[in-house]
Amino acid sequence: MDESLSLQAVPAWFIVLPDNNAAAPLAAKALAHACQTVRHHSGRPWLVGRWESKMMVIGAHGGTRVAVIGEHSATGRDAEHAAAALGRTDSPTALERVARWAGSFHSVASCGGRVRVQGGVVGLRRVFHSVPRAGSSEVSVASDRADVLAELVGAALDESRIALEMLTLGVPHPWSGDPMWRRLRAVPGGHCLTLGADGQPHTTRWWSPPDPVFPLTAGAERLREALTEAVAVRTHGRDLVTSDLGGLDSTAVCCSAARNNAKVVAYTAAIHDESGDDVYWAERTVGALHGVEHHVVPARDVAMTFDGIDALQDLLDTPSILTVDRNRRMGIVEMAAARGSGLHLTGLGGDELLAGTPARLHALVLTHPLAALRSARGYAAKYQWTRRAVLRQFLDRRSYRSWINRVARDLTEPAAAVNAPLLDWSAPPRMPPWATPDAITAARDLLRTGRPDIAPRGRGHGEHRELAAMDGISQWTRHIGQMAAPLGISIAAPYYDARVIEACLAVRPQERITPWRYKPLIVEAMRGIVPEASRTRETKANATLEEEAGLRAHRRRLLTLCEDSRLARLGLVDEKVLRDWCCSSLAAETQSYLLHPTIACEVWLRSREMTPPPPASALPTVDRER
């Protein structure tokens, strides 16, 4: 593998270097492939990489520097004020105030020889850092991409971590989203990284979820303000933006964008399932809005699941199950880029925040038992839960570590029943039938001994499940952004902004999450923004038919991936069992989905062998002192 694959080929990345001489060799290696450089007050390289100039603002005050990178409304004057506050107090709270701005971005500060790097609340704005070898003179460096960082420091692939990535239903917290290389670490969502004057890394928490105390009406007002501002940040200064217009979540985003000055072009993809009604509701919305340019993509023009799976060349920094739907999901993004859009709005993130999880009832039953039991009866009727199974999960008060230990023990057991209640820490993942004994052992060992500090993502089952789901789906959104970057278009997901997340999580769970109403919080928040013709929609399209038809149509492509499998080379997959499975007739909701994580890993490993040309749109080389 070309050791500079990511540094040469990835169109957008940055690294953050500590303010000392020991970082000079890594800085020199990165500078050989970078277009942009920002320096510490000392003159040493601080930020190095490839990014559009309009995506970053920098402020300086004395020897203090603050940079904000991403989607934001900040100006250089705002950044200067933040740098001045940080320089005066030498306190991290100044940078925390920056993180409260509307938008989605990284914030980085250099002050008094220390460097602080802060990403987002969930997995959309990631921060990775290297771990120096014990007893060496190495320093830690940080980056927004794990693959770039791995190339820079020469980190070796971690086969055990890839084995864990094959788990069905996703990798559990805190391993979800971890890098695939040894000596690299991910900074958890809501935490920041500090590189000391000696270049050593330290991680601290800067964000915690709010207490859910607001009634629905007050929460809707807060969400309305946060979401419309989040959309306005993205549309400000643009002549044209594009947007998904499908379900209720993307409809809220698209209608919020239509209130601003930019031209809005909306896209709706039809599906083959006749019960899918996205097009019907989208046309009602656009008919009431006026002025929004609307394009419906016929079902025959929408790629099926597994389309092109054996020929993908995206450079992602972790495997992504979005790989199996890559061409279906990217079709609209490609149309948007061809239309001339530099930014595409999506409603991803809305499900986790607005529909939430019934697991909130696990804690609610202790404080509001009547409300919890009433909702539990509703969910039981809706999802065919048995009374005994619900009661068993209500009474189970074991710790998250205990749950992880049970997952490790039961990796090869049958999957949980389809109608199992959703009140536990999560649905227990399993290793797929084609995983080798070595893969099972590696995954089990990581779960049992890989983390000494296992703790849930949130307080209680419900908050944990919602935040863990946001981490996972926001990581998918991040991958879509990585797929879209070579097209020169950014993917914006306003529901993952910290202020939007806080507005939703601060609402009382018994009012936000209910079997009796569909996403009541966004329905109330969007009064006067989403047309009444579609504001109270209570349906959601399902792409199960696309999955099953895609498997039949693209089986040959799947079988191509089984030939000379890279996972089999690593000893993680039994090639014959995988091939036999791909030849079978599989149900989408109970069988076909088991393939997704494994296919994602296989495609990702093959992508690391490719040497694509450098990015087509070269950015001008800029070296700034501030």
Side-chain angles (χ1 to χ4, degrees):
M1 183 189 301
D2 184 337
E3 68 173 5
S4 296
L5 172 64
S6 298
L7 292 168
Q8 287 180 337
V10 172
W13 55 272
F14 67 84
I15 63 166
V16 184
L17 296 152
D19 191 6
N20 59 36
N21 291 329
L26 294 175
K29 186 173 181 180
L31 284 165
H33 305 286
C35 296
Q36 306 270 19
T37 308
V38 183
R39 298 182 179 273
H40 293 283
H41 178 66
S42 65
R44 300 184 183 97
W46 172 35
L47 302 169
V48 177
R50 295 174 176 268
W51 59 82
E52 292 185 60
S53 295
K54 64 182 179 182
M55 299 297 284
M56 178 186 286
V57 296
I58 304 165
H61 181 83
T64 301
R65 303 286 186 269
V66 169
V68 184
I69 312 163
E71 300 157 7
H72 51 78
S73 58
T75 65
R77 180 66 60 88
D78 296 323
E80 286 178 8
H81 289 165
L86 185 60
R88 283 195 302 267
T89 65
D90 195 25
S91 166
T93 56
L95 203 59
E96 289 177 13
R97 286 197 294 271
V98 170
R100 302 292 179 180
W101 293 346
S104 174
F105 46 83
H106 291 86
S107 49
V108 191
S110 172
C111 179
R114 294 182 302 153
V115 174
R116 180 181 166 105
V117 191
Q118 199 160 293
V121 167
V122 291
L124 189 58
R125 296 285 174 179
R126 303 300 308 277
V127 177
F128 303 94
H129 69 94
S130 59
V131 178
R133 294 182 181 90
S136 73
S137 59
E138 295 175 348
V139 295
S140 181
V141 292
S143 179
D144 66 326
R145 287 191 59 126
D147 53 355
V148 166
L149 191 58
E151 300 286 350
L152 185 66
V153 303
L157 199 65
D158 187 344
E159 293 85 355
S160 297
R161 183 62 189 79
I162 295 173
L164 193 67
E165 201 70 19
M166 291 166 53
L167 282 173
T168 63
L169 299 179
V171 178
H173 173 81
W175 292 271
S176 176
D178 272 1
M180 300 294 112
W181 292 270
R182 297 182 176 90
R183 295 199 303 114
L184 299 190
R185 298 288 183 271
V187 177
H191 289 66
C192 67
L193 174 73
T194 299
L195 303 178
D198 57 357
Q200 299 303 300
H202 305 280
T203 301
T204 54
R205 176 185 289 274
W206 67 270
W207 182 88
S208 294
D211 292 329
V213 295
F214 285 93
L216 184 69
T217 302
E221 293 177 1
R222 288 160 56 90
L223 174 58
R224 175 192 179 99
E225 179 182 348
L227 184 61
T228 54
E229 185 177 14
V231 173
V233 162
R234 272 79 174 193
T235 61
H236 178 73
R238 294 182 181 271
D239 297 325
L240 169 71
V241 296
T242 50
S243 177
D244 291 334
L245 181 56
L248 187 58
D249 308 336
S250 60
T251 298
V253 170
C254 182
C255 292
S256 297
R259 303 171 74 231
N260 299 311
N261 293 328
K263 167 75 174 178
V264 176
V265 181
Y267 293 87
T268 305
I271 62 175
H272 294 80
D273 188 341
E274 292 182 358
S275 64
D277 55 358
D278 278 356
V279 173
Y280 168 78
W281 288 104
E283 289 177 341
R284 285 172 64 94
T285 300
V286 172
L289 280 177
H290 307 295
V292 171
E293 181 182 318
H294 187 216
H295 299 273
V296 175
V297 185
R300 65 178 179 274
D301 295 336
V302 179
M304 296 283 194
T305 302
F306 302 115
D307 178 61
I309 197 70
D310 60 333
L312 302 183
Q313 297 188 18
D314 302 300
L315 282 179
L316 309 180
D317 63 347
T318 63
S320 176
I321 64 172
L322 276 179
T323 299
V324 303
D325 278 327
R326 190 269 182 203
N327 287 349
R328 182 162 69 91
R329 289 184 177 271
M330 285 298 294
I332 283 179
V333 176
E334 290 166 355
M335 293 178 192
R339 178 65 177 79
S341 174
L343 183 133
H344 186 75
L345 293 161
T346 176
L348 287 169
D351 281 341
E352 308 95 278
L353 279 173
L354 304 171
T357 172
R360 286 279 187 173
L361 302 179
H362 187 266
L364 193 67
V365 75
L366 300 179
T367 57
H368 297 78
L370 294 180
L373 291 174
R374 180 175 180 270
S375 289
R377 285 195 295 271
Y379 282 117
K382 185 176 183 178
Y383 297 124
Q384 299 182 331
W385 298 346
T386 67
R387 184 176 300 179
R388 176 175 295 181
V390 170
L391 181 60
R392 185 167 54 247
Q393 290 197 7
F394 266 142
L395 294 175
D396 188 349
R397 299 286 152 177
R398 287 175 289 184
S399 69
Y400 185 64
R401 177 180 283 277
S402 173
W403 182 83
I404 288 289
N405 289 338
R406 298 198 302 276
V407 168
R409 180 194 66 196
D410 298 337
L411 282 179
T412 57
E413 294 297 311
V418 174
N419 65 338
L422 306 174
L423 308 177
D424 205 349
W425 289 108
S426 186
R430 300 286 189 253
M431 289 299 282
W434 47 85
T436 63
D438 286 347
I440 295 167
T441 299
R444 182 171 282 139
D445 288 347
L446 270 181
L447 292 172
R448 284 177 171 168
T449 63
R451 291 289 182 94
D453 56 344
I454 293 175
R457 183 67 167 91
R459 301 163 294 184
H461 293 193
E463 190 172 88
H464 166 82
R465 284 186 83 139
E466 287 176 359
L467 288 171
M470 280 185 261
D471 285 340
I473 308 299
S474 61
Q475 179 84 337
W476 300 357
T477 310
R478 180 171 169 270
H479 289 146
I480 296 174
Q482 291 178 355
M483 295 172 183
L487 302 174
I489 187 170
S490 299
I491 305 299
Y495 285 109
Y496 289 126
D497 286 12
R499 294 171 65 175
V500 176
I501 291 172
E502 289 174 353
C504 292
L505 295 186
V507 176
R508 297 168 184 164
Q510 63 267 39
E511 298 185 54
R512 176 170 62 94
I513 305 160
T514 169
W516 317 112
R517 294 182 65 188
Y518 183 67
K519 299 182 178 178
L521 181 58
I522 194 68
V523 170
E524 295 302 319
M526 289 294 106
R527 289 184 184 275
I529 296 178
V530 171
E532 289 301 302
S534 54
R535 183 178 62 86
T536 56
R537 174 186 177 182
E538 294 187 351
T539 60
K540 182 177 176 66
N542 185 299
T544 298
L545 182 62
E546 270 70 9
E547 168 98 10
E548 294 179 349
L551 179 62
R552 293 192 297 271
H554 302 299
R555 194 182 306 274
R556 185 181 299 275
R557 294 182 179 274
L558 276 175
L559 294 174
T560 298
L561 291 180
C562 297
E563 298 172 4
D564 191 22
S565 163
R566 300 331 187 245
L567 288 168
R569 286 187 196 176
L570 295 175
L572 302 178
V573 157
D574 184 319
E575 206 168 72
K576 181 181 183 305
V577 175
L578 179 59
R579 185 179 182 85
D580 290 347
W581 190 274
C582 290
C583 288
S584 303
S585 177
L586 304 174
E589 294 185 349
T590 58
Q591 295 173 308
S592 177
Y593 81 93
L594 302 179
L595 284 168
H596 295 187
T598 297
I599 297 303
C601 291
E602 181 68 33
V603 170
W604 184 80
L605 286 169
R606 290 173 183 245
S607 75
R608 306 313 301 173
E609 300 171 354
M610 301 176 187
T611 309
S617 56
L619 297 169
T621 299
V622 178
D623 191 335
R624 289 186 279 182
E625 293 298 318
R626 50 163 294 183

